Amino acid sequence: MLQLKGVSKSYDRGKTWAVDNLNLEINSGEIFGFLGPNGAGKTTTLRTIVGLLPPDRGTIVFDGIDVWKKPLVAKRRISFLPDNPNIYDRLTGLEYVRFIADVYGVPAKERRERLERLLHIFDMAAAAPDLIKSYSHGMRQKIALIAALIPQPDLLVLDEPITGLDPRSVHLFKNLLHEHCRAGGTVFFSTHILDVAERLCDRVGIIRKGRLIACGTMEQLRRDRMADTTLETLFLELTESEAETTETETEAEAGKREREKERSREDK
Amino acid sequence: MKIFLILLGVFLKQQFGLSAAYDRYVRRKEALWQPFLALAGFIGVGYLLLTFYLRLLNSLHNVSVQLNQPGMIVLLGFLLAQMIVLVFGLFYLISIFYFSHDLELLVPLPIPPQIILGAKLGLVVISEYLTVIPLTLPPLIIYGLKQEAGLLYWLLSPIIMLLLPLLPLGLAGIAIVLLMRFTRLAHRPDTVRVILMLIFFGITIAVSSISAFFDSRGVVPDEVARLLSGGPNSLLSIVGRRFPPALWGALALVEPGAKAGLNLAMFLLITALSLAGLWFVARHSFYQGLLGSGAVPKKKSRQASGPLEREMLISPRPVLAALVSREWLLIIRNPIFAMTAAQALIIPPLLLFIAVISGNSLAQLRQLAALPEFQLWGTLGFAGLVAINPIIASIPATAISREGMLFWISQVIPVAPRIQLLAKLVFTLVIAAVIGALMAVVLIPLGLPAKAAGIGLILGIIFAVPLAALSIAVDTLWPRLNWVSPQQAMKGNTNNLIVMALIAGLAYLLIRAALFMNKSGWDMSYIISAMGIIFLLLGVGAIAVMYRLAPLLYLQQSFGIGKGAETTAPARVRDGGKLRIRFSLWDLFYRYGRIILTGLTIIGLAIFLGREFIMGVTLEYEFGPDYVKFQNVVIPYEELVEVRLLEEVPPLSNRVGTSIGNYRSGTFTVEGIGRGRVVADDRTKPALVLFTNKGFYIITPDNAAERYKEIMEKTERMAE
Ligand SMILES: Nc1ncnc2c1ncn2[C@@H]1O[C@H](COP(=O)(O)OP(=O)(O)OP(=O)(O)O)[C@@H](O)[C@H]1O
Ligand SMILES: [Mg+2]
């Protein structure tokens, strides 16, 4: 189980908070989708989990391990895919995957089986011996994904993993994630593609200006809103208003009230 | 025109970070001490440089007036400025025209290529003014004031000054646009940088060998006399003939009347022509050179696409091996890193080799190697060479910086930072060993005793441990991760400076220690073992320091360029809104140590270099009742074997030391005498040669003839 308790992160020493007192629990075997407008703080949150950004406040605990107190133990069980596949582009795909497999200590047999399978799934077998520099954007994304999957970590942290993938790869990728979770693994990923999130995720969280404004299964969200809507409508409603809200009232409600007030002021 | 100005404005903002500075210092009023400190530093350094330059110009002017060549300083200023613009313009133009990332944005926009090109050229011109104006303004003012120039001079000179960079830039631009048009180089920034580096390296070697040539000959007086006999400002045209436009510009200012007009016309014409040429060439070729496929050559290993071959390629390795191999691949696959490292690794041994086999130094070395002392110093010297080589190549001191934007990978992999640093250390040691072995292979046939080479190699690897660990520790403290061009990570990394300063201090102490041991009559094997043990202990200490600092790696932010890319110093939070940064000495050191140490190193270096210069001016020879004293040397008369008086210092070669103007200080091969120490404040003055049992010294005191008599009398009296 991944627990974020009161996580906050500021890039300007506390003037504004990219992530603001975030509390989240993600259960083992769960696929959790992290949604939010641009600049909401998704990437920042993911980076604090994988050890790239020390949070200014709060703790992040994975299966009882505080990821900032025992980084190595945690890292052995976590894989990360960044939002732009910025990897050693002067290595070949195979060299990069080998490096990752080496540092995660993947044994020879598993390494071979997984690699063959992943290369086949993502149709990268032919390109793997080439320099990553010569890859297209999507191919880079794929090799970075393969590298993230090859250690078969307990927790996969993926920042917009499907942007840039072709439909076939997206389809196979979704199957991979399901499989990963069936085997007890956890997936925490951010995305902007709502219908993927809707169909793939066990639960979703929506973040706006660093604060979690909604979190739960699709069912729960719908029930809260008392409407049988799609995630897209939900998302649009939730993230629409500009008003600041407390955690008990949702953004959209506050927004509506704000607009009504304005209207009534204008009427007068 | 409007688009042109808008573009130029954007370029300027981007190039000089104006918006960022405005946002930070004016709008948010943050860290205001930074611009003030920078300004103060700028004024201080600028003042020093300017007074130095002014003094130089002043004396040059006085000399040139005596020689009836008053316009000389103006021409020199112009020539210098245009040459610098030509050389640096090449680099600058290539990077701004072809390798800047904004082209991908600009090219698809509906803006005529000439406007883009023109705005880029404008950016380069404005940047070049930053060097042209400080170089040319002082000579123009000095000449104008001293020669009491007329109104026309004062009106024309700023215009000519501002036009100066256009011509060399036009020429360089034409060359580059054509080059890019007809080669595929525009898509190979790395290749171009390597070529430029080679050219620069060639220039450096050429300049140093030319200066070495003049060092040994000096300027032949007849030639100078012939140059000067040609009437007023004749020297000017001879010097200026190498690059006539600078001459025309200068003559337009310093010649009277009609001649000036003609020169001015020529100057304007040639400038306009070069710009028109660039315009023409660019219209037809700029985009063709720029566009086209930016193909990256695929690494050919197609055979590896079958499962069996793949299995071999990805067989498991121990973590340390994987990390060391990553270090190697990241250096060798990046042409800039590879070249920078190779230059420093291969070239010193190569130069050593050339120096040794050319001339008579081979025989000298053989003689030297036969001395019993050489066993010790040869071994220690070779060990030092082996150890310092990878440091000079900036391999350990930029080990983390080189990872740059990809440093996030090191942060997420489940490998302890200590182990990652250890891998970098091991990598450095492997390089030291391999290059050391290579040097041994070269030096043994030249006279380095095999035993000294063997022991030296092992000792050198031991020496390398603390040096490399210390360098890596410095880079752990202050890695430079947010670079764009690889040169910034390696050559332009100030960590190199800090490390070199630390190591220079250490080396000084240890050499002193070795000398002391030798003086106290220790056996060679004892001295070598002692050195080995000292370095082993230092190595353990340095590794401990490196290990202590390792967790800092988790605090770096390597992604994204901008404020987020800065280091987050360990911040402590109090409850409530804002973050509190806990200030401690450590935090201060962590934040500002790099700047402070770099500054101290530069100041130290300046003092070190300036010291020789000052010594040249203030060199004093002290003649005591029974000794001569100069610099750090004291020679009691009783040690003198022979004294000779010469009319001047004989021609010198194979310098190991300093020569500025006529000042010579160091060890030289003196024609007709041999190799010895020269401490001459002016090599054209009458010189004394003092022979002792250990060697000879050449000095140039005032009234050398009287001193000679004095010493002769005293030594004779002593002999009786
Ligand atoms: N390196 C940085 N330096 C300064 N501020 C940053 C940095 N990275 C992010 N921010 C700020 O932090 C906030 C959150 O950014 P973050 O990248 O987490 O958003 P995101 O939800 O991932 O957005 P997107 O959907 O566009 O990827 C933004 O307001 C952004 O301006
Ligand atoms: Mg993001």
Side-chain angles (χ1 to χ4, degrees):
Chain A
M1 189 168 67
L2 177 70
Q3 293 169 297
L4 280 74
K5 285 191 206 133
V7 172
S8 300
K9 177 71 203 176
S10 167
Y11 286 102
D12 48 13
R13 295 192 194 152
K15 282 194 200 107
T16 54
W17 293 92
V19 174
D20 194 357
N21 193 21
L22 185 70
N23 291 294
L24 256 186
E25 279 196 8
I26 295 155
N27 301 313
S28 299
E30 192 174 57
I31 301 186
F32 188 88
F34 204 34
L35 314 175
N38 294 132
K42 301 182 293 296
T43 300
T44 308
T45 308
L46 299 193
R47 280 178 171 153
T48 57
I49 297 171
V50 297
L52 286 176
L53 261 186
D56 294 326
R57 274 186 234 151
T59 50
I60 300 163
V61 178
F62 178 60
D63 280 358
I65 309 157
D66 185 318
V67 301
W68 280 96
K69 290 214 177 98
K70 293 199 167 151
L72 278 183
V73 187
K75 279 168 210 231
R76 263 184 218 120
R77 307 180 53 187
I78 304 177
S79 268
F80 176 59
L81 177 85
D83 48 358
N84 58 337
N86 218 345
I87 51 180
Y88 298 130
D89 59 357
R90 295 175 198 267
L91 264 53
T92 67
L94 276 185
E95 281 169 343
Y96 179 63
V97 174
R98 182 189 193 192
F99 172 73
I100 295 294
D102 283 338
V103 295
Y104 276 89
V106 184
K109 184 161 160 282
E110 278 88 342
R111 178 183 298 215
R112 177 178 3 115
E113 287 166 5
R114 288 176 203 162
L115 181 74
E116 287 308 323
R117 182 147 177 270
L118 289 170
L119 286 182
H120 176 73
I121 288 178
F122 287 113
D123 194 19
M124 286 290 289
D130 295 335
L131 282 182
I132 294 178
K133 230 179 166 187
S134 71
Y135 288 2
S136 76
H137 183 83
M139 288 159 81
R140 266 173 209 239
Q141 183 92 4
K142 284 180 184 172
I143 207 77
L145 255 176
I146 293 175
L149 291 170
I150 211 150
Q152 267 195 8
D154 295 328
L155 174 62
L156 269 174
V157 180
L158 311 171
D159 201 354
E160 301 187 22
I162 37 193
T163 2
L165 293 190
D166 57 49
R168 202 182 92 91
S169 307
V170 173
H171 174 73
L172 295 168
F173 170 70
K174 286 194 283 191
N175 290 346
L176 271 177
L177 289 193
H178 278 307
E179 199 181 291
H180 177 80
C181 289
R182 271 200 299 279
T186 311
V187 181
F188 185 3
F189 78 106
S190 77
T191 185
H192 289 297
I193 303 178
L194 294 177
D195 36 328
V196 170
E198 187 165 5
R199 264 174 283 139
L200 184 65
C201 299
D202 298 316
R203 287 198 303 146
V204 296
I206 301 181
I207 184 178
R208 186 176 157 274
K209 289 191 176 165
R211 285 164 177 257
L212 195 68
I213 52 173
C215 181
T217 61
M218 279 308 299
E219 289 311 308
Q220 282 169 340
L221 291 187
R222 284 195 191 109
R223 215 179 313 130
D224 288 353
R225 310 287 309 153
M226 284 187 297
D228 187 21
T229 50
T230 59
L231 184 57
E232 183 170 351
T233 350
L234 263 175
F235 181 88
L236 291 178
E237 278 182 21
L238 283 170
T239 56
E240 183 183 27
S241 106
E242 282 299 298
E244 289 292 330
T245 50
T246 62
E247 261 155 339
T248 47
E249 74 182 338
T250 56
E251 298 272 21
E253 280 165 354
K256 255 181 223 155
R257 212 176 316 122
E258 198 68 27
R259 273 194 302 274
E260 273 158 21
K261 260 189 229 160
E262 259 175 41
R263 230 171 279 142
S264 60
R265 241 180 269 135
E266 280 167 14
D267 290 347
K268 282 172 203 166
Chain B
M1 198 60 199
K2 201 173 148 213
I3 303 178
F4 173 82
L5 289 179
I6 292 172
L7 260 187
L8 184 60
V10 172
F11 288 167
L12 284 172
K13 277 185 198 155
Q14 177 72 18
Q15 181 80 7
F16 298 108
L18 295 182
S19 297
Y22 179 84
D23 181 62
R24 182 148 196 207
Y25 303 124
V26 183
R27 221 164 55 84
R28 289 194 284 133
K29 303 215 169 14
E30 242 178 46
L32 277 178
W33 58 269
Q34 281 179 357
F36 281 113
L37 191 73
L39 195 72
F42 183 76
I43 291 177
V45 174
Y47 176 78
L48 280 179
L49 285 180
L50 200 67
T51 44
F52 179 69
Y53 189 44
L54 284 177
R55 261 192 222 147
L56 188 78
L57 285 173
N58 218 347
S59 55
L60 254 176
H61 181 260
N62 292 341
V63 173
S64 60
V65 168
Q66 279 173 19
L67 298 175
N68 201 11
Q69 317 275 345
M72 200 67 209
I73 54 169
V74 175
L75 177 68
L76 278 180
F78 281 13
L79 261 179
L80 202 62
Q82 286 200 325
M83 287 300 171
I84 288 179
V85 170
L86 190 65
V87 174
F88 285 93
L90 274 173
F91 288 73
Y92 215 31
L93 284 171
I94 288 191
S95 68
I96 286 187
F97 275 27
Y98 288 92
F99 300 146
S100 59
H101 297 286
D102 58 353
L103 282 168
E104 277 184 15
L105 297 172
L106 292 172
V107 171
L109 294 180
I111 305 176
Q114 302 95 296
I115 299 230
I116 296 180
L117 205 70
K120 292 222 155 207
L121 190 66
L123 172 67
V124 179
V125 171
I126 290 175
S127 317
E128 294 288 5
Y129 284 148
L130 297 180
T131 46
V132 167
I133 293 179
L135 275 178
T136 49
L137 201 58
L140 281 173
I141 293 179
I142 290 186
Y143 177 85
L145 292 179
K146 296 229 166 169
Q147 298 292 316
E148 290 165 7
L151 184 64
L152 199 61
Y153 174 89
W154 293 113
L155 284 179
L156 265 182
S157 52
I159 297 174
I160 291 188
M161 179 175 78
L162 292 182
L163 291 177
L164 271 181
L166 294 181
L167 172 72
L169 281 181
L171 295 180
I174 292 174
I176 287 165
V177 172
L178 288 180
L179 186 75
M180 292 298 178
R181 167 74 179 83
F182 295 110
T183 62
R184 303 232 115 244
L185 287 177
H187 311 297
R188 302 266 175 81
D190 285 344
T191 316
V192 172
R193 292 198 184 107
V194 168
I195 292 174
L196 288 177
M197 248 148 102
L198 286 176
I199 293 177
F200 227 65
F201 178 64
I203 293 177
T204 325
I205 289 204
V207 167
S208 62
S209 49
I210 288 173
S211 74
F213 176 80
F214 277 113
D215 243 20
S216 53
R217 309 283 137 104
V219 176
V220 190
D222 307 353
E223 219 165 299
V224 177
R226 197 165 45 77
L227 284 176
L228 293 177
S229 57
N233 285 332
S234 61
L235 186 59
L236 233 142
S237 35
I238 292 167
V239 176
R241 210 180 286 153
R242 302 271 168 255
F243 198 64
L247 177 68
W248 294 329
L251 286 182
L253 292 175
V254 304
E255 289 273 321
K259 258 190 176 169
L262 190 68
N263 279 305
L264 182 64
M266 292 289 279
F267 177 77
L268 292 179
L269 186 72
I270 193 88
T271 303
L273 267 181
S274 83
L275 283 186
L278 176 60
W279 184 265
F280 178 79
V281 171
R283 266 186 72 161
H284 291 277
S285 306
F286 180 54
Y287 273 10
Q288 280 94 323
L290 194 61
L291 307 175
S293 75
V296 173
K298 296 196 172 173
K299 192 175 173 258
K300 264 281 75 55
S301 48
R302 276 282 163 207
Q303 308 89 317
S305 36
L308 251 178
E309 292 85 348
R310 266 205 298 277
E311 191 175 329
M312 293 197 357
L313 282 180
I314 71 149
S315 59
R317 290 168 295 185
V319 172
L320 199 64
L323 291 169
V324 172
S325 131
R326 167 181 73 165
E327 293 298 310
W328 165 249
L329 287 178
L330 290 186
I331 281 202
I332 201 68
R333 294 269 173 87
N334 184 325
I336 304 296
F337 289 163
M339 274 296 295
T340 312
Q343 260 186 24
L345 286 176
I346 306 289
I347 282 161
L350 199 73
L351 286 184
L352 201 72
F353 179 73
I354 294 172
V356 168
I357 58 164
S358 67
N360 51 0
S361 8
L362 187 57
Q364 280 177 9
L365 187 80
R366 290 243 161 89
Q367 275 174 5
L368 210 66
L371 295 176
E373 290 261 286
F374 190 77
Q375 281 293 343
L376 174 63
W377 299 118
T379 309
L380 286 180
F382 185 66
L385 205 62
V386 170
I388 201 75
N389 213 11
I391 312 276
I392 293 178
S394 40
I395 287 176
T398 63
I400 293 148
S401 303
R402 282 195 304 268
E403 293 189 32
M405 301 271 281
L406 300 179
F407 184 64
W408 71 269
I409 297 175
S410 297
Q411 287 179 306
V412 298
I413 57 176
V415 179
R418 289 179 176 195
I419 305 295
Q420 300 197 30
L421 295 187
L422 187 66
K424 293 173 194 290
L425 179 66
V426 170
F427 177 67
T428 313
L429 297 182
V430 171
I431 295 278
V434 171
I435 301 290
L438 206 81
M439 284 196 287
V441 170
V442 172
L443 288 176
I444 289 174
L446 295 177
L448 183 71
K451 196 175 144 205
I455 299 176
L457 184 58
I458 295 167
L459 202 61
I461 297 169
I462 296 174
F463 281 10
V465 175
L467 305 191
L470 203 67
S471 311
I472 295 171
V474 169
D475 205 31
T476 306
L477 265 172
W478 306 300
R480 180 171 187 183
L481 296 169
N482 55 345
W483 45 266
V484 186
S485 128
Q487 261 134 346
Q488 294 170 304
M490 223 169 160
K491 260 201 182 147
N493 199 327
T494 48
N495 286 346
N496 289 321
L497 273 181
I498 296 174
V499 163
M500 291 310 288
L502 289 178
I503 290 178
L506 191 69
Y508 178 79
L509 291 180
L510 289 167
I511 290 172
R512 272 288 144 105
L515 284 170
F516 176 76
M517 289 179 212
N518 190 43
K519 242 189 189 164
S520 327
W522 288 33
D523 193 57
M524 173 178 150
S525 56
Y526 285 141
I527 300 181
I528 288 185
S529 321
M531 280 304 184
I533 290 169
I534 292 177
F535 270 91
L536 276 179
L537 292 177
L538 283 173
V540 171
I543 291 180
V545 171
M546 184 177 94
Y547 273 7
R548 271 302 283 271
L549 296 174
L552 286 178
L553 291 184
Y554 282 150
L555 296 175
Q556 297 297 331
Q557 295 178 27
S558 55
F559 46 84
I561 293 168
K563 21 180 183 100
E566 282 173 17
T567 333
T568 36
R572 300 286 180 285
V573 193
R574 290 283 186 77
D575 33 1
K578 290 206 169 179
L579 282 186
R580 290 269 173 78
I581 309 296
R582 195 191 54 172
F583 276 102
S584 67
L585 273 180
W586 163 247
D587 282 345
L588 285 179
F589 179 67
Y590 186 49
R591 272 156 190 268
Y592 306 116
R594 180 183 190 166
I595 298 180
I596 294 171
L597 284 182
T598 309
L600 285 180
T601 308
I602 291 176
I603 292 171
L605 207 67
I607 291 175
F608 182 74
L609 294 176
R611 191 194 54 153
E612 280 289 346
F613 192 77
I614 292 164
M615 261 204 254
V617 185
T618 60
L619 181 59
E620 273 181 27
Y621 305 95
E622 187 186 329
F623 290 85
D626 54 356
Y627 64 88
V628 201
K629 195 173 155 194
F630 46 90
Q631 275 185 357
N632 52 357
V633 185
V634 184
I635 307 177
Y637 286 153
E638 58 197 29
E639 281 185 14
L640 287 177
V641 188
E642 189 196 337
V643 182
R644 269 188 231 164
L645 178 66
L646 304 176
E647 256 169 43
E648 61 169 22
V649 179
L652 305 173
S653 56
N654 288 334
R655 156 169 67 108
V656 182
T658 320
S659 64
I660 304 168
N662 281 331
Y663 169 71
R664 295 287 182 279
S665 161
T667 307
F668 293 80
T669 304
V670 184
E671 198 175 282
I673 303 181
R675 198 153 176 85
R677 176 101 184 256
V678 179
V679 185
D681 62 348
D682 182 347
R683 65 183 184 87
T684 56
K685 286 202 310 199
L688 288 180
V689 192
L690 310 174
F691 290 89
T692 68
N693 279 326
K694 283 188 229 147
F696 68 86
Y697 298 85
I698 296 187
I699 58 175
T700 53
D702 295 332
N703 44 38
E706 285 162 36
R707 294 296 183 195
Y708 175 71
K709 259 184 239 156
E710 209 178 293
I711 296 173
M712 290 305 279
E713 279 165 20
K714 280 186 185 162
T715 43
E716 266 161 35
R717 213 176 303 142
M718 264 184 226
E720 286 161 15

